[in-house]
Amino acid sequence: MSPRLLLATLALPLLGSAQDTSLHDYLIDGEGWKEAASGYAFTDGLCTDSTGNLFFTDVKAGKGIYKIDVTTGKTDLFLDNLPGISGLQIGPDGRFYACHNKEQRIIAITLKGEVEVLLTNMKCNDLVVSKKGHLYFTETPTQTIHLITADKKHIAADQGHILKPNGITLSSDERTLVASEHGGKHVWTWQILDDGTLTAGAPFMTMWLPVGKETASGDGATTESKGRYFITTELGIQVFDTAGRLAGIISKPDPMGKVVSCEFAGKDHDLLFVAAGDKIFSRRLKVTGYFGK
Amino acid sequence: MYIRHTLATLTLALTLHAAPQDDQYVLGPDSQVRADVPQGKVTQMPAWKDSKIFPGTSRDWWIYVPAQYSKDKPAAVMVFCDGGGFVKADGQFRAPVVFDNLIAKGEMPVTIGIFIQPGTFPTSNPNDKARSNRSFEYDSLGDLYARFLLEEILPAVAKDYNLTSNPDERAICGNSSGGICAFTVAWEKPDAFRKVVSHIGSFTNIRGGHVYPALIRKTDKKPIKVFLQDGKNDLDNQFGNWPLANQDMAAALKFAGYDYQFVLGEGTHNGKHGAAMLPDTLRWLWQAGTK
């Protein structure tokens, strides 16, 4: 470890990190939201792959999984006959994993479209898959965080604590699971044990509330490569540092619209994509995403 | 291994960040070990791993027991947030040395010091950087940290030592987020803790702490005594402006008639000024005749 690195590491927990987490340091002047796709009903399920393609769904009216090509920027239907997916990610085995909300099931899908059903009768909303192959998903109405372990065991990993769990993501060391409250103001964290199960749940982060409201309507969640968390909320995309402190709120593309899911994609994974109703927008940041790399 | 790393972090962070404005603040004679003064004993306690208030966390902590302590007489209590940085005999604050010197002169009561690190979430791999729970514990408003002290730590210390239950003889001190934590403990539980020392306190919007000046102005005066130190060159960032926030705190305490003292120096976000003043701060804090 170089002396400079050592110094930075040592200073970080107490003081050093305070100054480097400002939102203003990683937004780029003049780089606002740009429309990336339009003409859908309710976009959701954003995820990326190693090359930086963006995949998404249209939960209400879509046919399947759509792809915004990293090179051409064009949108195509990538996999047909899979309507009603609300959460999507590519797992360590290269398959899609999906909350098939319409069919109330969790499925895995090869890039050719072959489906494996992992769990049924689940009012699943959003999911995340760890590098070890543990799959976590939120079941919003039952206030439950579910786990499907790498060896396909199903466990209700946390129940009854988090108010309408919605968005879900991992810390960049995959030791912490993170889930947002749609019906409250907190973003919860749990320690992930070696077998994938959860412990030490706590309302580690507090979202900023719209004036006069008691809920932030936390929704989709993703992680930035240095471990910051990006959570879509009624006010915008709320960004938290690794200490759980709110660093700032990125404005919504349409101030009157919703943002329900976000993910970094693009060649350098520095384009923040957001699902905003009938459209997808993107915005270049000075930071990059954790997933897909 | 991580634990030692954290301890090093705290002390080093405070010294390494020292700017020229901080170097004018140096430790005085009351912060030096004196051969003619009885020395108390610092004991590192087994890591605290069974917290019900902060489940899943582990933390290091130490107890200082002055040489004059006798189990026949309840000792005063002083808690230090980020205690690892305060407890070291050759550290920035050298709290045990200052305690030895002041207790010997009768300038503060026989006081047991409890030095506590913030919690971390250890993993099965010792090479992993454990997630810190510090901001959650220190920057959050509410009674969680006060309850952690009252329901967990103080009863554990009281098993072996005769501790006072007089809130006027219970103090809590911290730097930065530890500073606002110290204030929050007394604010939430004035019947348990009534003396606060905050150096470079984070009365900013990290997790809502910027509301304290407004709350102080519009709330019945609480029976707490507050020492605040900050530096004109302290932080200005996305959470707020530390010198302004501390001036706002001091103005609110003055407005509401509190027994308080505010020292605004030239320093940065660094403990040096607070450390240099610690003997005077403790003399003021512990002197009788609070309002």
Side-chain angles (χ1 to χ4, degrees):
Chain A
M1 198 183 257
S2 77
R4 181 175 298 173
L5 183 61
L6 178 71
L7 193 150
T9 312
L10 289 167
L12 197 76
L14 189 63
L15 309 168
S17 60
Q19 295 281 19
D20 76 359
T21 56
S22 169
L23 188 67
H24 308 289
D25 291 341
Y26 47 97
L27 297 180
I28 301 169
D29 280 347
E31 288 271 1
W33 291 111
K34 289 178 184 146
E35 191 177 297
S38 64
Y40 300 89
F42 189 92
T43 56
D44 203 349
L46 270 50
C47 77
T48 190
D49 63 11
S50 58
T51 55
N53 294 304
L54 184 85
F55 300 91
F56 69 94
T57 65
D58 181 356
V59 189
K60 285 187 181 155
K63 293 175 178 172
I65 297 172
Y66 298 86
K67 173 183 161 186
I68 300 179
D69 188 89
V70 63
T71 314
T72 66
K74 284 191 181 158
T75 307
D76 286 307
L77 181 62
F78 183 71
L79 288 178
D80 202 353
N81 300 317
L82 289 164
I85 288 172
S86 59
L88 192 63
Q89 195 196 322
I90 297 171
D93 60 355
R95 294 192 293 175
F96 286 109
Y97 287 81
C99 286
H100 203 179
N101 181 274
K102 188 182 165 115
E103 305 291 335
Q104 301 203 354
R105 62 185 191 175
I106 303 289
I107 55 176
I109 316 155
T110 65
L111 298 188
K112 290 176 182 168
E114 300 148 318
V115 171
E116 180 190 356
V117 177
L118 298 174
L119 198 62
T120 55
N121 294 316
M122 288 288 146
K123 297 181 177 67
C124 50
N125 188 329
D126 203 353
L127 59 72
V128 68
V129 187
S130 73
K131 288 196 165 78
K132 284 184 176 173
H134 299 307
L135 184 155
Y136 303 87
F137 70 92
T138 53
E139 194 179 30
T140 307
T142 62
Q143 327 254 61
T144 308
I145 308 292
H146 293 273
L147 160 63
I148 302 173
T149 60
D151 54 359
K152 297 186 183 175
K153 273 187 281 201
H154 170 230
I155 297 163
D158 188 275
Q159 206 153 26
H161 294 111
I162 170 165
L163 301 170
K164 294 191 184 173
N166 195 320
I168 189 162
T169 189
L170 292 163
S171 62
S172 51
D173 64 1
E174 304 212 345
R175 287 292 192 177
T176 303
L177 184 76
V178 176
S180 71
E181 284 186 339
H182 195 69
K185 61 180 178 180
H186 292 118
V187 178
W188 284 66
T189 54
W190 295 262
Q191 285 302 102
I192 299 173
L193 301 177
D194 288 344
D195 63 359
T197 58
L198 305 179
T199 186
F204 190 62
M205 296 172 254
T206 305
M207 294 177 279
W208 197 271
L209 294 171
V211 171
K213 295 204 175 173
E214 294 301 312
T215 167
S217 302
D219 207 319
T222 192
T223 306
E224 176 266 344
S225 58
K226 291 200 173 69
R228 300 178 182 108
Y229 304 109
F230 285 59
I231 316 285
T232 64
T233 71
E234 183 173 334
L235 284 177
I237 302 161
Q238 304 204 18
V239 181
F240 294 86
D241 65 19
T242 54
R245 306 174 301 184
L246 178 63
I249 306 172
I250 301 177
S251 304
K252 295 184 283 189
D254 171 6
M256 303 307 287
K258 281 190 173 182
V259 284
V260 303
S261 171
C262 61
E263 185 56 277
F264 289 89
K267 182 170 66 71
D268 300 317
H269 289 265
D270 62 348
L271 291 174
L272 180 64
F273 284 85
V274 63
D278 57 337
K279 296 187 181 76
I280 306 258
F281 291 87
S282 76
R283 179 172 183 165
R284 192 173 303 279
L285 301 185
K286 288 183 195 166
V287 295
T288 62
Y290 168 69
F291 291 102
K293 287 194 276 189
Chain B
M1 177 204 152
Y2 175 74
I3 284 150
R4 182 177 302 168
H5 172 81
T6 311
L7 179 63
T9 301
L10 289 165
T11 43
L12 275 175
L14 284 164
T15 40
L16 285 175
H17 275 249
Q21 300 99 315
D22 301 307
D23 292 337
Q24 63 186 292
Y25 303 113
V26 293
L27 297 180
D30 285 327
S31 303
Q32 314 299 334
V33 175
R34 292 174 55 118
D36 57 338
V37 165
Q39 288 179 25
K41 191 177 170 198
V42 172
T43 307
Q44 178 160 10
M45 307 301 286
W48 189 266
K49 291 179 174 173
D50 303 321
S51 177
K52 304 261 191 308
I53 305 277
F54 300 116
T57 60
S58 174
R59 73 196 64 223
D60 278 7
W61 63 304
W62 298 258
I63 295 177
Y64 160 89
V65 179
Q68 298 85 347
Y69 166 77
S70 155
K71 65 176 186 295
D72 303 327
K73 190 164 179 247
V77 173
M78 188 156 184
V79 173
F80 289 83
C81 302
D82 293 313
F86 284 95
V87 76
K88 286 184 76 178
D90 58 350
Q92 190 176 43
F93 279 82
R94 307 181 183 180
V97 176
V98 178
F99 274 35
D100 284 343
N101 291 332
L102 268 56
I103 291 169
K105 288 195 267 189
E107 294 177 340
M108 65 179 278
V110 173
T111 304
I112 288 188
I114 305 173
F115 301 82
I116 311 170
Q117 287 292 87
T120 61
F121 295 96
T123 71
S124 58
N125 182 351
N127 293 324
D128 278 355
K129 186 170 175 287
R131 175 162 61 99
S132 170
N133 206 36
R134 179 174 186 267
S135 172
F136 182 71
E137 295 176 8
Y138 289 178
D139 295 316
S140 298
L141 305 193
D143 66 357
L144 273 190
Y145 198 82
R147 287 180 49 212
F148 169 67
L149 295 178
L150 294 170
E151 295 171 21
E152 301 192 10
I153 296 293
L154 289 187
V157 179
K159 281 183 189 163
D160 296 320
Y161 299 100
N162 185 0
L163 302 181
T164 183
S165 55
N166 178 357
D168 285 316
E169 294 182 356
R170 286 208 195 119
I172 177 162
C173 170
N175 297 342
S176 190
S177 292
I180 190 174
C181 177
F183 182 82
T184 297
V185 165
W187 180 259
E188 291 289 334
K189 301 285 182 189
D191 290 339
F193 280 89
R194 291 190 177 168
K195 293 188 195 304
V196 175
V197 175
S198 163
H199 303 123
I200 53 174
S202 303
F203 297 97
T204 51
N205 188 18
I206 297 179
R207 292 174 184 262
H210 62 300
V211 301
Y212 272 134
L215 277 174
I216 291 164
R217 286 172 186 267
K218 293 191 178 181
T219 307
D220 280 17
K221 189 175 91 173
K222 304 195 183 203
I224 62 180
K225 186 173 183 176
V226 181
F227 180 88
L228 301 173
Q229 173 272 333
D230 199 26
K232 286 176 183 165
N233 295 297
D234 201 350
L235 295 174
D236 179 30
N237 63 22
Q238 67 273 23
F239 304 119
N241 179 294
W242 268 244
L244 290 179
N246 277 277
Q247 289 175 76
D248 203 7
M249 281 293 289
L253 292 168
K254 182 180 183 183
F255 171 83
Y258 278 78
D259 188 7
Y260 81 101
Q261 199 172 79
F262 175 48
V263 176
L264 183 63
E266 302 287 330
T268 66
H269 201 62
N270 188 287
K272 274 193 156 187
H273 189 193
M277 283 193 304
L278 187 64
D280 284 345
T281 303
L282 293 178
R283 275 188 276 269
W284 174 81
L285 192 73
W286 289 107
Q287 78 191 2
T290 54
K291 284 181 203 171

